[in-house]
Amino acid sequence: MSSVTSSIATSTATLPQGGDNRNDSKNSNNTRWIGRTVIYGLLLVFAVLYLMPLFVMLTTSFKTMDEIQNGNMLALPQSPTFDPWIKAWGETCVGLTCAGIKGYFWNSIKMVVPAVAISTIMGALNGYVLTKWRFPGHTLVFGLMLFACFIPFQSVLLPMATILGSL
């Protein structure tokens, strides 16, 4: 008998006959509650830390230049303004033209929507085939697909953009 089974056997042998384990279950529930509180607390702290740059970016985009230069980047804007958004959309100089980002935005939408649709459809089809059908070499195909996950996305991005641009 291993040490774990012997300790379980001795602990169950000391329980009174016909007794209930209310204290044990209460302690177990308290321990479980404390553990979950700690886990969710840590998750909340890390979520706040992870989302802090997004908060700073959004709040700064609604501030005037004087508020930005005065310092506190975590402060909410005192007089929110949409002027930076309007300027960026319509008159910001990008590259050699000063036509804003609206053309680039729509170009990105034209590239992202088909890429996501194609990736989703191909992923769903591959997932279905690899889980439901067993064919000769299915483990090799799965291994190659798993290996492809380790290829850096940046090395795939340029060829994919070129192909989608030509389509």
Side-chain angles (χ1 to χ4, degrees), residues 116-128 145:
V116 168
I118 291 168
S119 296
T120 302
I121 291 169
M122 292 299 292
L125 289 174
N126 285 332
Y128 179 80
M145 289 177 66

Side-chain angles (χ1 to χ4, degrees), residues 29-50:
N29 286 339
N30 286 341
T31 305
R32 186 176 297 135
W33 184 80
I34 291 170
R36 286 186 182 209
T37 303
V38 168
I39 288 172
Y40 285 122
L42 285 173
L43 286 173
L44 184 65
V45 166
F46 285 117
V48 167
L49 288 174
Y50 183 78

Side-chain angles (χ1 to χ4, degrees), residues 25 121 130 134 160:
S25 66
I121 291 169
L130 288 174
R134 297 292 177 219
M160 184 170 43

Side-chain angles (χ1 to χ4, degrees), residues 121-140:
I121 291 169
M122 292 299 292
L125 289 174
N126 285 332
Y128 179 80
V129 167
L130 288 174
T131 56
K132 298 295 182 185
W133 294 350
R134 297 292 177 219
F135 53 90
H138 74 278
T139 54
L140 176 66

Side-chain angles (χ1 to χ4, degrees), residues 66-86:
D66 291 334
E67 286 182 84
I68 294 171
Q69 291 173 344
N70 284 339
N72 189 2
M73 66 182 176
L74 296 177
L76 294 174
Q78 294 170 350
S79 56
T81 178
F82 285 97
D83 288 340
W85 288 83
I86 294 168

